[in-house]
Amino acid sequence: MLAVLEQNGRISNNEPAARVGLSSSPCLRRVRQFEEAGVIRNYRALIGPSAAGRSLRVFAGVLPIRHTRADVIAFERGITQLPQVIACHHSTGTFDYLLQAEVAGLPTHENVHADQPARPARRGHREQLPHHENALS
C-alpha cells in the first residue's frame, strides 16, 4: 500500500484498496494509521524546475576544512538559508556533503558564488559537478 501511495499521493482510496486486496474502509483506516504514526509525513506537489523559474540544476560536493561539531552545525544551518539549495545530503567518500541547487540560469548561479563568499555554506573545499536531469522522474 505504501508503494502505491508513494507513486501517487492523490490516488483515490478505492485504487490502493483494490491493488492490495482490501475494501475501502480498512484501506482508509490504514492510511490514517500511517499518517498518525508518521510513516506518511506529508503530501506535496512536485513542480517542474523550469516552471518555477529554476532551469539550471547544479550539484556541488563540499568538503569542509574543519570538522568540529560547531562548524558542522554552522554549515548545516547556513545551507538551509540558501533558497537555491533544494537538497543537502551528508555523505561519505570524496565529499562530506552533496548539494543540489536550482537557479534561473548560469548568470544567477555565478552571482551566488560572487555575492555570498562569507556564508558558512561556502567554507572549505568545494567542487562543482555537472548539471544532471533526474533520470527517475
Side-chain angles (χ1 to χ4, degrees):
M1 181 182 315
L2 290 175
V4 172
L5 291 171
E6 192 172 38
Q7 290 298 313
N8 184 357
R10 291 180 51 127
I11 197 169
S12 74
N13 187 48
N14 294 330
E15 290 182 58
R19 290 187 193 181
V20 298
L22 291 173
S23 64
S24 293
S25 293
C27 180
L28 183 58
R29 195 168 31 256
R30 280 202 190 161
V31 169
R32 297 288 182 245
Q33 289 171 343
F34 287 143
E35 291 170 344
E36 290 168 8
V39 174
I40 297 175
R41 299 182 313 190
N42 200 348
Y43 297 92
R44 64 178 72 170
L46 297 174
I47 309 297
S50 59
R54 301 181 315 251
S55 60
L56 179 64
R57 180 175 296 150
V58 179
F59 292 88
V62 179
L63 182 61
I65 294 170
R66 296 184 312 227
H67 291 84
T68 67
R69 180 168 296 285
D71 289 325
V72 168
I73 290 169
F75 172 81
E76 291 176 357
R77 283 188 182 147
I79 210 68
T80 64
Q81 303 303 309
L82 299 174
Q84 55 276 61
V85 175
I86 62 166
C88 175
H89 302 275
H90 195 197
S91 62
T92 59
T94 305
F95 303 109
D96 287 349
Y97 295 92
L98 179 62
L99 307 181
Q100 179 181 349
E102 291 178 349
V103 295
L106 192 54
T108 305
H109 177 60
E110 290 170 349
N111 287 341
V112 169
H113 291 296
D115 296 342
Q116 299 182 10
R119 289 243 189 201
R122 306 271 308 170
R123 291 185 193 146
H125 176 71
R126 188 176 125 353
E127 278 188 36
Q128 187 138 322
L129 305 174
H131 162 75
H132 293 280
E133 287 301 320
N134 184 352
L136 301 178
S137 61

